[in-house]
Amino acid sequence: MLYRFVRLLLILALTAAMPALVLAQTGIPLLGETAEPASPVAQPPAQAAPQAPQAAPVQAQPSDELITEQQNALKALVAKTDAFAKQIDDNQEDDGTLVDIRSQLEELSRQALGTATVFRPRLNEINARLEQLGPAPAQGQPAEPDIVATERKALTNEKAEINAVIAGAQTLSVRIASMGDKISTLRSELFRKTLTKRYELNDLLSTKLAVDANTEFSNLSGAVTSWFSFVLKFKYQAALVATIMALVAALVLHIVVRRIFGRIFEPDPTVENPTYLSRLSAAFWSTLLPTLGLGVFLSLAYFFFDYYGVLRGDIGIFLRSIMGVILIVFCVHRLTNAALSPGMPKWRLIPVESGPARWLVVLSTAMAVVLGANVFLSVVNEQMGSPLSLTVGRSFVATIIVGLILIMMGLVRPFRTKSGEWRPWPAWLRFLAYALGTIIIVAALLGYIGLAIFLAFQVVITTTLLITAYIGFLSARAIGAEGGFAETSVGRWIAGRTSLEEGTLDQLGLATSIALNLLIVVVFLPMLLLMWGFQFADIQAWAYRIAMGVTVGSVTISLFGILTGVIVFILGYFLTRWFQSWLDDSVMARGKVDTGVRNSIRLVVGYAGVALAAVVGVSSAGINLSNLALIAGGLSLGLGFGLQNVVSNFVSGLILLAERPFKVGDWIVAGDVSGTVKKISVRATEIETFQRQSVILPNSNLINSAVGNWTHRNKLGRVEIKVGVAYGSDVRRVHEVLLEIARGHQLVLKNPEPFVQFVNFGTNALEFEIRVFLADILNGGSVQNDIRFAIMDAFGAEGIEIPSAPRQQMPHADKEPWPIDDDKTEALHAEEQAAKEEEERSQPKGRRRARRPDPS
């Protein structure tokens, strides 16, 4: 019962309302027809054939018994295959039955191929033993012992029997594959015949049609009335309980959905300028969530009525089909209302006017109602055994109405210019509506009812699904954009209740976007496949193949295996990080292990754990590590040439972690770099200089070059302070003063004691050097600074002079100063120019001026 409920819930919630295309003669798909057994011979996949015995230890079961058991199992599989071959010949016009047969044949094929797996251990033993025995002696050579010859013959005969059974299983698998190809061919031919079958409307649409319709309506009303009377007399309490349970389920579902998702799929009329993302999200979720909620409610209602025995066989089929019709109409109505939003123009996705928006919603809903009524009547015709004229007549009327509605939608003028004139749809969209409507009407008038009803369904249902999915993809892309998730209500709620940064919210939005895209594909792709003629069993088979493995050449790609490997690696990674933290904080910290040792152990454990998680994940994904031998061989060549520096640094890092010439926190000097070690990894070491600059040194440089470590075993160290005094100073007093200053500093060690060295007779001064030892060499800078201040104070009090070299004074040439008043300078220059011009004018005219030199 639970299996039936889950199956019914999935079918109704996602696809019960989506007709599975066309029947062979009527051209109309039946909702829920797969729930009825297609043939008395057909069985569910789990009962199609006895399971092949699993591989067992050969020691526990003799080889002869195993061969006999597999031969009997193979004979049973062959008998089942023969029965399915007869069913294929008897049901060539039933698409649903053909799909069920193919799914059961695939299970038989897997059981047949499982025979090779059962015999694999025994075959390996036989081959290994034959190799130990060696080849049989050639003609003319001494004969081998009788016991060896007897064993060789027994092993060879057993191997031949096993190979015969395996060959029979492979032959059966090939036969099943050919039967699957035959089913695919039959289904394709059936689909083509359904769409291209032509009916003579003059014979079918006659005066007898009204009489048949009246008779059909009387039979339907009689069946419903008799069932209703039966329920009132014998199933009243059960029907009442089922109704109450359905209403309670609907109320709970309504409250839960409103409570959790109310803000998501209900546009807020108080928002003045909703963002594009808000409009997309409201349109998508206001279509998807209520539709799924209604599907779940209808499934629960049907389950309760069926569980309490209220439904009769035909009434159950009628109820299931009318529930599907309700789901179709509701989905189309919600989508058009969400996209056009006649009552709230600010939330409208398509910029049309309110009046045309209401008209388009009415036309779209009317199309869905017409097609839904046609689906329900097709179920009634099937159950009542109606004549062909009724089937063709209702389909003819439905297609004509749908075609006319499409043409009317193309005639709508939804836009208005600034001058107040109404403007039609874009030309391509308008003529597309005209073309589809005309093709549907012409196909119906010519008698191609199957083609017409197929096109009508695709126009309504497929367009609805595609538009909903497209809006969902747009919403997911907008959420995944930078800063998009923070603008959503969920993002604002998370940001208000947590301290997540903007970058973290963007990453969360990206993950949400990917999840939404996957959800849209998982939900809408099966529905589209069902609309285009595929059966639910087809989708189940494809999902099984994708999950369990798709073979490409000699490589099998399994989605389930890949996901398992990824999950195992992630679990191993986080388990490694947890173990690292526990080992560092709870074990080594309590044991007061040195910081450098803790860092080395933590790094080694981390690398080992991640490597182990990677190996286990690859194995869990179904990838044979032995197949990577060739890749490893190729990589070894690359490691020897192109990656030698990387390998050198890697090995050097392992040496550093093992020998520990320095550790995290040490003050080292490596060439021109001096600073504190911050991190040691397997490729490089991070050193922070005293200027707070991070220097990344490759480990090979630290291994191959000299490295000074000020804090290798301890932080004890010596610092020197040089000072010079003038010639003529009392050097013994200078020595005493400097020694007192060194001994008086609180950070200078008493043992070893400080001392002062008279080091040199310098050119300009007598040079002394104070040498002091510190418990922490890292305090050397501050100690040197304090001692220098003390020296200045003490020398000043004692009158001791610190000489300095005289500086040479360079003479400066006197230059004409730059004019301070630029305006005054310009005025003087203008007066000089005016005086020159006046002098030139005052000269006699006959006097010739001196010729200027030729510039050339």
Side-chain angles (χ1 to χ4, degrees):
M1 180 61 69
L2 180 61
Y3 169 77
R4 293 177 57 195
F5 168 67
V6 173
R7 179 186 175 102
L8 181 62
L9 182 63
L10 290 174
I11 294 175
L12 284 180
L14 298 178
T15 59
M18 309 304 170
L21 276 187
V22 280
L23 291 175
Q25 299 295 331
T26 62
I28 304 301
L30 289 180
L31 288 175
E33 64 178 357
T34 56
E36 296 296 325
S39 172
V41 187
Q43 300 176 358
Q47 302 175 355
Q51 295 289 335
Q54 300 297 322
V58 180
Q59 294 79 1
Q61 185 178 13
S63 179
D64 293 340
E65 294 181 5
L66 181 63
I67 294 174
T68 302
E69 181 180 346
Q70 291 300 315
Q71 287 175 344
N72 294 333
L74 187 61
K75 290 179 181 178
L77 294 179
V78 171
K80 287 290 183 181
T81 305
D82 294 338
F84 282 129
K86 186 176 184 304
Q87 290 186 42
I88 292 174
D89 295 334
D90 296 339
N91 297 275
Q92 295 186 5
E93 301 295 327
D94 192 339
D95 185 68
T97 303
L98 292 176
V99 173
D100 292 337
I101 293 174
R102 189 178 65 180
S103 63
Q104 296 178 63
L105 286 175
E106 291 177 353
E107 179 64 24
L108 290 182
S109 178
R110 288 191 289 269
Q111 294 178 13
L113 293 178
T115 303
T117 305
V118 173
F119 285 114
R120 185 177 299 165
R122 182 55 185 164
L123 280 177
N124 292 335
E125 291 182 1
I126 293 174
N127 292 329
R129 182 56 182 161
L130 289 176
E131 288 181 2
Q132 293 176 357
L133 295 178
Q139 188 176 4
Q141 294 182 353
E144 60 184 356
D146 292 339
I147 187 172
V148 176
T150 302
E151 183 180 4
R152 185 192 306 278
K153 183 178 180 180
L155 292 174
T156 304
N157 292 336
E158 182 181 355
K159 183 177 179 180
E161 291 179 359
I162 292 176
N163 288 333
V165 176
I166 294 176
Q170 292 176 347
T171 303
L172 179 61
S173 178
V174 172
R175 180 189 175 192
I176 291 174
S178 64
M179 293 171 63
D181 295 338
K182 180 181 179 181
I183 289 176
S184 299
T185 304
L186 289 175
R187 293 185 65 201
S188 301
E189 182 66 20
L190 179 61
F191 181 72
R192 185 189 63 81
K193 286 170 56 178
T194 302
L195 294 184
T196 58
K197 184 176 180 59
R198 186 172 181 273
Y199 298 92
E200 294 295 336
L201 299 181
N202 294 332
D203 299 334
L204 298 175
L205 301 178
S206 59
T207 55
K208 188 175 179 297
L209 179 63
V211 178
D212 294 337
N214 187 30
T215 303
E216 186 76 9
F217 180 75
S218 300
N219 295 335
L220 176 62
S221 61
V224 174
T225 302
S226 63
W227 169 78
F228 191 71
S229 301
F230 171 78
V231 169
L232 290 179
K233 291 181 180 179
F234 303 102
K235 293 286 185 177
Y236 177 76
Q237 293 182 351
L240 182 61
V241 172
T243 303
I244 294 175
M245 295 290 290
L247 292 176
V248 170
L251 181 62
V252 172
L253 185 64
H254 177 78
I255 294 175
V256 171
V257 171
R258 291 285 177 180
R259 187 80 174 178
I260 300 177
F261 303 105
R263 295 183 179 180
I264 297 179
F265 64 81
E266 288 185 354
D268 189 357
T270 60
V271 178
E272 293 295 332
N273 294 311
T275 62
Y276 181 66
L277 174 60
S278 300
R279 289 183 287 154
L280 282 174
S281 300
F284 176 70
W285 293 112
S286 65
T287 301
L288 181 62
L289 291 179
T291 303
L292 290 178
L294 180 61
V296 172
F297 163 68
L298 294 177
S299 301
L300 291 175
Y302 183 87
F303 168 77
F304 287 127
F305 278 100
D306 183 63
Y307 180 79
Y308 288 102
V310 178
L311 298 178
R312 199 172 61 191
D314 55 345
I315 299 300
I317 296 175
F318 294 158
L319 181 61
R320 192 162 57 244
S321 64
I322 202 168
M323 286 180 175
V325 170
I326 293 173
L327 202 61
I328 290 177
V329 176
F330 181 81
C331 180
V332 173
H333 183 73
R334 291 291 302 190
L335 177 62
T336 52
N337 265 295
L340 299 174
S341 187
M344 288 183 286
K346 296 176 182 178
W347 289 87
R348 194 171 294 161
L349 285 178
I350 304 175
V352 298
E353 297 295 325
S354 298
R358 295 188 184 91
W359 182 235
L360 290 172
V361 170
V362 171
L363 292 177
S364 301
T365 308
M367 251 194 323
V369 171
V370 170
L371 290 178
N374 183 66
V375 170
F376 175 72
L377 292 177
S378 68
V379 176
V380 173
N381 294 152
E382 179 70 17
Q383 294 300 316
M384 295 293 182
S386 304
L388 183 62
S389 59
L390 281 180
T391 300
V392 176
R394 60 164 175 77
S395 300
F396 176 79
V397 173
T399 53
I400 294 296
I401 295 175
V402 170
L404 292 175
I405 292 177
L406 280 174
I407 295 175
M408 294 172 64
M409 294 176 71
L411 293 173
V412 172
R413 294 177 176 268
F415 308 108
R416 176 177 286 182
T417 62
K418 294 181 179 180
S419 60
E421 298 180 356
W422 290 98
R423 187 164 54 88
W425 295 105
W428 67 271
L429 185 59
R430 186 169 68 254
F431 288 115
L432 179 63
Y434 294 159
L436 289 175
T438 304
I439 290 173
I440 291 174
I441 293 175
V442 171
L445 293 176
L446 294 178
Y448 295 100
I449 304 299
L451 176 61
I453 200 67
F454 173 77
L455 292 176
F457 270 108
Q458 303 316 312
V459 167
V460 178
I461 308 302
T462 302
T463 303
T464 301
L465 294 176
L466 289 177
I467 292 176
T468 306
Y470 180 67
I471 293 175
F473 284 128
L474 291 179
S475 301
R477 186 174 65 180
I479 291 174
E482 184 176 0
F485 184 72
E487 297 179 359
T488 62
S489 57
V490 177
R492 289 191 294 268
W493 182 84
I494 294 177
R497 286 166 174 78
T498 61
S499 58
L500 295 180
E501 298 179 354
E502 185 177 353
T504 306
L505 286 176
D506 281 341
Q507 293 177 356
L508 186 59
L510 182 60
T512 305
S513 175
I514 296 174
L516 285 178
N517 286 321
L518 292 177
L519 174 65
I520 293 167
V521 172
V522 170
V523 171
F524 287 95
L525 183 58
M527 300 169 71
L528 288 173
L529 292 176
L530 288 172
M531 282 304 305
W532 283 88
F534 299 97
Q535 299 289 340
F536 192 74
D538 292 328
I539 302 174
Q540 286 180 323
W542 293 337
Y544 179 83
R545 292 174 186 173
I546 294 175
M548 302 309 296
V550 177
T551 302
V552 181
S554 60
V555 179
T556 300
I557 301 174
S558 173
L559 180 61
F560 180 77
I562 292 174
L563 292 177
T564 302
V566 171
I567 293 174
V568 169
F569 174 75
I570 293 175
L571 291 178
Y573 177 82
F574 283 105
L575 183 62
T576 300
R577 294 296 181 231
W578 171 83
F579 182 73
Q580 278 183 293
S581 177
W582 174 81
L583 185 65
D584 188 31
D585 299 338
S586 300
V587 178
M588 293 188 292
R590 293 182 181 180
K592 297 183 179 179
V593 181
D594 183 73
T595 305
V597 177
R598 291 169 58 182
N599 179 72
S600 300
I601 295 176
R602 185 170 61 250
L603 287 176
V604 171
V605 170
Y607 287 124
V610 171
L612 181 62
V615 172
V616 175
V618 171
S619 301
S620 301
I623 300 175
N624 190 358
L625 296 179
S626 62
N627 296 333
L628 302 178
L630 182 61
I631 299 176
L635 287 177
S636 62
L637 183 62
L639 293 176
F641 292 97
L643 301 179
Q644 56 182 347
N645 291 333
V646 176
V647 175
S648 175
N649 290 325
F650 180 80
V651 175
S652 300
L654 296 180
I655 294 174
L656 291 176
L657 291 174
E659 293 186 354
R660 299 180 59 249
F662 53 82
K663 56 187 179 298
V664 174
D666 283 356
W667 173 17
I668 67 172
V669 178
D672 297 333
V673 179
S674 175
T676 305
V677 178
K678 288 297 182 181
K679 181 180 180 182
I680 304 174
S681 62
V682 293
R683 191 198 67 83
T685 297
E686 180 184 349
I687 300 174
E688 185 180 274
T689 66
F690 297 107
Q691 291 81 22
R692 298 296 181 181
Q693 179 189 24
S694 294
V695 179
I696 309 299
L697 285 180
N699 289 330
S700 59
N701 294 355
L702 300 174
I703 290 293
N704 300 325
S705 303
V707 178
N709 190 348
W710 284 91
T711 56
H712 182 44
R713 292 183 175 87
N714 53 59
K715 294 184 178 181
L716 177 65
R718 192 187 78 178
V719 296
E720 298 84 16
I721 303 98
K722 294 181 180 180
V723 62
V725 298
Y727 279 92
S729 301
D730 186 356
V731 292
R732 296 188 182 278
R733 180 57 183 164
V734 171
H735 183 275
E736 293 176 0
V737 170
L738 294 179
L739 191 58
E740 290 177 1
I741 293 173
R743 290 174 177 174
H745 199 282
Q746 60 181 359
L747 295 180
V748 174
L749 295 178
K750 307 302 181 184
N751 185 24
E753 64 177 354
F755 64 93
V756 177
Q757 187 78 24
F758 188 0
V759 295
N760 193 21
F761 293 95
T763 304
N764 300 314
L766 302 172
E767 298 177 357
F768 290 80
E769 185 176 271
I770 303 174
R771 300 173 182 177
V772 296
F773 292 88
L774 306 177
D776 189 352
I777 191 64
L778 299 178
N779 295 325
S782 62
V783 171
Q784 289 175 330
N785 190 55
D786 295 341
I787 291 177
R788 289 190 181 102
F789 276 112
I791 290 173
M792 293 296 295
D793 295 339
F795 280 10
E798 295 288 340
I800 300 174
E801 180 184 358
I802 300 177
S804 60
R807 297 182 180 179
Q808 183 179 4
Q809 298 292 329
M810 298 298 295
H812 296 281
D814 294 334
K815 296 182 180 179
E816 183 179 356
W818 188 264
I820 298 177
D821 192 349
D822 292 340
D823 295 336
K824 182 178 180 181
T825 303
E826 292 180 0
L828 292 175
H829 179 71
E831 291 178 359
E832 291 177 0
Q833 291 293 333
K836 289 181 181 180
E837 292 177 0
E838 183 64 27
E839 183 180 358
E840 291 176 359
R841 284 196 298 269
S842 63
Q843 291 180 359
K845 297 183 178 179
R847 186 178 177 181
R848 298 181 62 184
R849 298 182 182 178
R851 292 186 62 184
R852 295 182 180 179
D854 189 356
S856 62

